[in-house]
């Protein structure tokens, strides 16, 4: 029996570690200034640099290494399981093992990244006043973005209206270019830019699409990952979005905002166009929801042909890949975001509009 009890000590420790960290997160949300100073601008910066100068140097995505490690852990655990007597000991041992492992991952999640959910809101730090957007302002924003995109597209290909379906307009080192743009904006906003967040492409094609996402920041590996089958026009904005997560911002709408403001005036017109197009798609979806008849009858016919072709090309590319159980995935992630005090849940992605409008007002 003593031997059996010893087998439960380590799983119990990790279970307590995870549970204690989980409750600590509730306290963190009550003290955002403390989190901002000592975690987001303190401990997390050490984590950021430690990851970037170790696993960030690996020639393959650390995402793969993480899951290989998980598989090897359980293979080792099964092959080296102790001799246990009876159903009770075996059930208790494996239950404790699973709970302990879950506690370890839960605790690590918060310490290596997750406490950033509780930091001081970005709008407070950069001094913008975020308000609800009325219908008139929403449509005005869509028209403004359409005109801007039309001008940018002309700089790229002139009067050619064929879809921009390849990467010939990309900078030579896209990852470094996007990272520098994100870091430049964060630096100007007085945010730490330590480390070198990686952005890696994940294969096979459709791997992330199956889970309903174009990109993911994997905190256990400390790197951002992109779906390999993304249309070229979407890859660079998604890269900027995920790097925003990597530099310590958890809110999805905020990372969409960082993506936009970091790239919208980029000297490379293709990068700028891609960022505007990503934002434009969010605006268009919200305008359709606001007044579908107005969108279809009055606005859609006025969309420049080149932009229409790009939107269709993106849709065609992404429709090649099926998502697994989209309704379940939506509910799970919606619940997860709400558990992190993001009350809007999945609608949080669209809150980029409020931030961009507030940002533009401040700039004026």
């Amino acid at each position: 029996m003593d031997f059996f009890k010893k087998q439960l000590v380590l799983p119990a420790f990790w279970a307590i570690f995870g549970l204690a960290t989980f409750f600590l997160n509730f306290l963190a949300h009550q003290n955002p200034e403390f989190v901002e100073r000592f975690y987001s601008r303190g401990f997390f910066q050490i984590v950021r640099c430690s990851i970037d100068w170790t696993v960030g140097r690996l020639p393959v995505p650390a995402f793969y290494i993480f899951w290989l490690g998980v598989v090897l852990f359980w293979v080792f655990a099964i092959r080296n399981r102790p001799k246990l007597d009876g159903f009770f000991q075996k059930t208790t041992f494996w239950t404790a093992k699973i709970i302990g492992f879950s506690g370890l991952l839960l605790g690590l999640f918060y310490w290596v990244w997750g406490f950033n959910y509780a930091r001081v809101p970005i709008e407070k730090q950069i001094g913008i006043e975020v308000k609800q957007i009325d219908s008139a302002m929403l449509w005005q924003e869509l028209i403004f973005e359409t005109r801007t995109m039309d001008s940018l597209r002309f700089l790229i290909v002139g009067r050619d209206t064929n879809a921009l379906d390849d990467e010939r307009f990309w900078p030579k080192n896209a990852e470094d270019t996007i990272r520098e743009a994100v870091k430049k904006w964060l630096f100007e906003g007085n945010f730490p830019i330590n480390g070198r967040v990686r952005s890696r492409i994940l294969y096979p094609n459709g791997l992330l699409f199956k889970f309903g996402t174009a990109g993911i920041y994997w905190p256990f590996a400390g790197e951002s990952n992109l779906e390999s089958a993304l249309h070229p026009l979407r890859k660079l904005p998604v890269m900027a979005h995920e790097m925003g997560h990597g530099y310590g911002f958890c809110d999805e709408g905020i990372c969409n905002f960082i993506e936009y403001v970091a790239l919208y005036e980029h000297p490379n017109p293709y990068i700028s166009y891609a960022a505007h197009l990503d934002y434009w798609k969010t605006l268009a979806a919200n305008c359709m929801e606001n007044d579908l008849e107005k969108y279809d009858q009055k606005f859609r016919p006025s969309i420049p042909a080149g932009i229409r072709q790009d939107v269709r090309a993106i849709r065609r590319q992404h429709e090649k890949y099926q998502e697994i159980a989209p309704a379940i995935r939506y509910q799970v992630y919606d619940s997860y975001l709400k558990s992190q005090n993001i009350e809007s849940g999945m609608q949080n992605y669209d809150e980029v509009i409020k931030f961009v409008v507030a940002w533009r007002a401040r700039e004026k």
Side-chain angles (χ1 to χ4, degrees):
M1 181 59 74
D2 289 340
F3 171 76
F4 174 64
K5 288 180 180 178
K6 287 179 181 178
Q7 297 296 319
L8 303 180
V9 172
L10 192 57
F13 173 81
W14 290 124
I16 293 169
F17 167 69
L19 192 61
T21 303
F22 181 73
F23 283 111
L24 185 61
N25 179 57
F26 285 100
L27 291 176
H29 280 279
Q30 306 304 313
N31 299 277
E33 288 80 11
F34 183 90
V35 173
E36 184 69 35
R37 180 179 179 183
F38 293 103
Y39 179 79
S40 298
R41 295 173 182 263
F43 181 77
F44 176 70
Q45 299 304 313
I46 299 172
V47 173
R48 179 75 273 154
C49 292
S50 300
I51 291 173
D52 293 338
W53 297 106
T54 52
V55 296
R57 296 290 183 176
L58 293 172
V60 296
F63 181 88
Y64 298 146
I65 306 298
F66 170 83
W67 286 109
L68 177 62
V70 170
V71 171
L72 291 177
F73 171 86
W74 286 107
V75 168
F76 181 84
I78 293 170
R79 288 175 62 89
N80 294 275
R81 61 189 181 279
K83 270 193 170 183
L84 300 171
D85 299 323
F87 176 79
F88 173 77
Q89 284 195 1
K90 292 177 181 178
T91 303
T92 303
F93 173 80
W94 289 111
T95 301
K97 201 82 170 175
I98 292 169
I99 292 174
F101 185 74
S102 301
L104 171 62
L105 291 185
L106 179 64
L108 283 178
F109 167 79
Y110 282 108
W111 284 106
V112 301
W113 185 70
F115 282 130
N116 283 311
Y117 275 108
R119 70 185 304 179
V120 175
I122 194 172
E123 61 269 31
K124 184 176 180 180
Q125 299 199 55
I126 62 176
I128 61 174
E129 188 178 357
V130 179
K131 301 177 181 178
Q132 288 299 120
I133 305 298
D134 61 27
S135 176
M137 190 173 293
L138 179 65
W139 284 96
Q140 181 182 348
E141 187 76 0
L142 179 64
I143 293 168
F144 171 79
E145 284 295 317
T146 306
R147 291 171 179 167
T148 303
M149 288 165 56
D150 193 31
S151 300
L152 285 168
R153 203 177 193 284
F154 184 82
L155 292 176
I156 302 169
V157 292
R159 299 191 183 280
D160 186 351
T161 59
N162 291 316
L164 303 178
D165 269 340
D166 55 49
E167 299 176 3
R168 68 185 187 277
F169 300 107
W170 277 33
K172 287 184 178 179
N173 193 326
E175 182 186 10
D176 288 343
T177 301
I178 300 302
R179 185 190 303 110
E180 287 309 308
V182 171
K183 291 178 71 172
K184 179 177 182 293
W185 185 84
L186 291 175
F187 178 77
E188 291 171 352
N190 196 33
F191 294 105
I193 54 172
N194 298 307
R196 180 175 171 269
V197 178
R198 297 302 310 273
S199 188
R200 315 264 204 162
I201 307 293
L202 292 185
Y203 296 91
N205 286 352
L207 176 64
L208 294 181
F209 277 152
K210 289 186 185 300
F211 298 96
T213 186
I216 185 172
Y217 177 73
W218 197 242
F220 303 110
E223 68 182 19
S224 59
N225 301 115
L226 303 185
E227 164 59 55
S228 57
L230 270 175
H231 189 279
L233 278 168
R234 287 225 62 213
K235 279 184 181 176
L236 301 183
V238 173
M239 190 181 294
H241 173 104
E242 300 304 334
M243 284 182 177
H245 284 311
Y247 282 108
F249 297 91
C250 302
D251 187 295
E252 300 293 354
I254 291 299
C255 286
N256 278 344
F257 169 66
I258 291 173
E259 163 202 319
Y260 180 83
V261 293
L263 304 182
Y264 84 115
E265 287 187 328
H266 198 278
N268 183 324
Y270 178 89
I271 295 176
S272 180
Y273 175 75
H276 281 280
L277 179 59
D278 213 52
Y279 176 54
W280 183 92
K281 289 169 84 276
T282 300
L283 285 168
N286 277 264
C287 284
M288 280 189 278
E289 185 178 339
N290 175 260
D291 190 336
L292 182 58
E293 183 179 350
K294 179 180 178 180
Y295 185 91
D296 282 339
Q297 296 184 8
K298 295 183 178 180
F299 180 74
R300 193 189 297 274
S302 70
I303 301 174
I307 297 174
R308 285 203 304 269
Q309 291 297 334
D310 289 336
V311 172
R312 288 169 184 163
I314 292 171
R315 185 171 61 248
R316 283 196 302 267
Q317 172 67 11
H318 296 179
E319 284 176 348
K320 295 177 184 177
Y321 303 93
Q322 297 279 328
E323 182 179 348
I324 299 173
I328 295 175
R329 189 272 309 173
Y330 183 96
Q331 289 300 326
V332 168
Y333 198 54
D334 184 70
S335 299
Y336 163 75
L337 290 174
K338 289 176 179 176
S339 74
Q340 299 298 337
N341 281 18
I342 298 178
E343 296 178 1
S344 56
M346 287 292 285
Q347 299 303 313
N348 181 248
Y349 284 90
D350 292 352
E351 291 186 0
V352 59
I353 300 172
K354 294 191 297 186
F355 285 97
V356 170
V357 170
W359 169 260
R360 224 190 298 279
R362 195 197 76 167
E363 291 298 285
K364 287 180 181 179

